[in-house]
Amino acid sequence: MYRSETLCVSSGSRVWILKMAAPSELFCWKDGFGLPSVNTDCLIVLAYARFAGAPLKIHKISNPWRSPTGSLPALRTKDEGSCSQPSQIIIQLRKQKYNADYDLSAKEGADTLAFISLLEERLLPALIYALWIDPKNYVEVTRRWHGENMSFPLNFFLPGRMQNRQLERLRLIRGNSSLEAGEEAERELYHDALECLNLLSQRLGSNKFFFGDSPSSLDAYVFGHLAPLIKIRLPNCQLQQNLKNLDNLNTFCCNILSLYFPSESKEGVNRPMSSTQQGSDFDNEPYKRRKQLLSVLVAVAAMLSYALFTGIVAIEHVQEEEPVGPTSLRGPSHEEEEE
């Protein structure tokens, strides 16, 4: 439900009552690794909103099903309903007169579209591969973070489901329905991504932002794609090493973090993984023990179900003859069931 604020303005003997609508609500993945969000699309929207000065009420969550669209990021407005995807959210913000591209020329607008297309075709596939498809990175970083920040029982199955969706997304972008993790795919993806990084570095040059001293939507898109590669330490990603050699792109991202997200940028990348769970129940030892116990119970139940289903274990009901005699005068016995 949207709330409204009432503002009283007086002029002489007259009083006007103005009702101001509550700001739109933005739902996005929570922060971590020194970033305002761990998700590229969420970073794009958060950065654009800061650049345009949009007064959003931000909900940082770790359960996409809690958003109005069932996915993140998601924008909920009073008049237009809810929408997902960075491009759709940016359009809605522009309708509300929050436009970070207002001062761009026609040529700069065309360059923006061209570079965003380049990012989505060349850099995004490599980013998806590095975070979600590479087995070592996924197990040690991506799945671990989501598992620790999601509540039970979502942390058992949702990261795997998200990985499958990211693989489908990667195959769709690359036009290869059989793409899998491997040296050949990694080499091809990282080669295209490095070409994209070099083009971005050349275009940025020594400028603070891509079109002068004020950030635009292109800066938001570039920041959303580069920041995870700069801040999240992956055990197996040659692309990160290549990006470190491009000083202007590193400075570009660090400047945006310090100027527009000062509180998040203070979080160090060397902090333990569990430090990203601020305010989580799993910070406390009793909850950790409960989580471990529940994990064991779920695993045992799954194994028993599999054994029964495949016929490895069978349950037979044997009916014993009722003895004749005084014992038959006893009342019916009561079975005790363990929960």
Side-chain angles (χ1 to χ4, degrees):
M1 180 179 294
Y2 290 88
R3 300 177 180 176
S4 60
E5 298 180 359
T6 302
L7 176 65
C8 296
V9 180
S10 62
S11 176
S13 59
R14 296 183 178 180
V15 177
W16 289 272
I17 300 178
L18 305 177
K19 289 187 177 182
M20 297 180 293
S24 300
E25 297 178 85
L26 177 65
F27 297 78
C28 60
W29 282 100
K30 63 181 297 187
D31 55 304
F33 305 103
L35 296 171
S37 176
V38 297
N39 177 266
T40 291
D41 290 343
C42 294
L43 287 172
I44 293 172
V45 175
L46 287 169
Y48 183 89
R50 292 290 175 91
F51 296 164
L56 299 177
K57 182 178 181 181
I58 299 176
H59 303 274
K60 293 187 177 183
I61 57 179
S62 57
N63 180 4
W65 295 345
R66 290 177 54 193
S67 81
T69 62
S71 61
L72 298 173
L75 181 71
R76 180 162 62 193
T77 63
K78 182 178 180 180
D79 301 323
E80 302 290 339
S82 301
C83 62
S84 296
Q85 303 298 326
S87 59
Q88 298 177 7
I89 294 175
I90 289 175
I91 290 174
Q92 289 299 324
L93 293 179
R94 287 174 176 170
K95 289 182 178 179
Q96 300 176 21
K97 310 303 181 183
Y98 300 108
N99 188 356
D101 295 343
Y102 182 79
D103 294 329
L104 296 185
S105 64
K107 182 180 182 305
E108 290 172 336
D111 290 344
T112 296
L113 296 177
F115 274 101
I116 290 177
S117 178
L118 181 68
L119 284 167
E120 294 177 345
E121 293 178 4
R122 296 296 185 92
L123 186 56
L124 179 59
L127 183 59
I128 294 174
Y129 184 91
L131 292 174
W132 290 97
I133 312 304
D134 183 279
K136 190 175 182 64
N137 295 340
Y138 172 71
V139 171
E140 297 186 13
V141 179
T142 307
R143 187 179 69 182
R144 182 180 177 186
W145 185 91
H146 286 84
E148 290 185 349
N149 285 273
M150 289 179 177
S151 59
F152 178 86
L154 293 180
N155 54 352
F156 280 96
F157 65 88
L158 194 52
R161 181 177 296 182
M162 294 170 62
Q163 184 191 35
N164 292 334
R165 290 179 179 176
Q166 291 295 336
L167 179 58
E168 293 176 0
R169 183 184 183 188
L170 176 60
R171 288 172 173 175
L172 181 62
I173 295 175
R174 300 295 293 185
N176 183 356
S177 60
S178 60
L179 190 151
E180 297 286 349
E183 293 183 1
E184 182 178 354
E186 178 179 325
R187 181 169 55 254
E188 181 180 347
L189 291 170
Y190 287 176
H191 175 268
D192 292 347
L194 182 57
E195 288 185 348
C196 178
L197 292 176
N198 288 329
L199 290 174
L200 290 172
S201 179
Q202 294 174 9
R203 180 62 180 83
L204 179 62
S206 58
N207 297 324
K208 187 176 182 179
F209 300 107
F210 279 87
F211 298 115
D213 296 329
S214 299
S216 64
S217 60
L218 177 58
D219 298 281
Y221 272 88
V222 174
F223 171 76
H225 287 78
L226 296 186
L229 289 173
I230 293 175
K231 301 293 287 185
I232 302 177
R233 288 193 173 184
L234 300 173
N236 183 35
C237 185
Q238 181 61 38
L239 188 62
Q240 283 188 316
Q241 302 300 323
N242 297 328
L243 179 56
K244 288 181 179 179
N245 297 328
L246 301 174
D247 294 334
N248 61 342
L249 293 181
N250 285 268
T251 302
F252 166 81
C253 288
C254 292
N255 286 339
I256 290 179
L257 283 172
S258 60
L259 290 174
Y260 296 95
F261 306 98
S263 58
E264 289 86 351
S265 64
K266 292 179 181 178
E267 181 184 352
V269 296
N270 294 324
R271 295 175 63 178
M273 188 72 64
S274 60
S275 65
T276 59
Q277 308 172 36
Q278 297 179 2
S280 172
D281 290 340
F282 297 106
D283 288 337
N284 300 323
E285 191 64 28
Y287 290 97
K288 289 183 179 179
R289 288 197 296 268
R290 184 183 68 179
K291 179 182 176 183
Q292 293 171 354
L293 177 60
L294 290 173
S295 302
V296 173
L297 292 176
V298 170
V300 171
M303 288 187 293
L304 288 176
S305 300
Y306 175 79
L308 291 172
F309 180 76
T310 56
I312 298 176
V313 176
I315 299 177
E316 296 182 359
H317 297 277
V318 179
Q319 184 175 1
E320 297 182 357
E321 295 183 359
E322 186 175 349
V324 179
T327 56
S328 63
L329 301 176
R330 295 179 183 176
S333 62
H334 298 277
E335 297 182 357
E336 294 184 3
E337 181 179 355
E338 292 186 5
E339 297 183 359

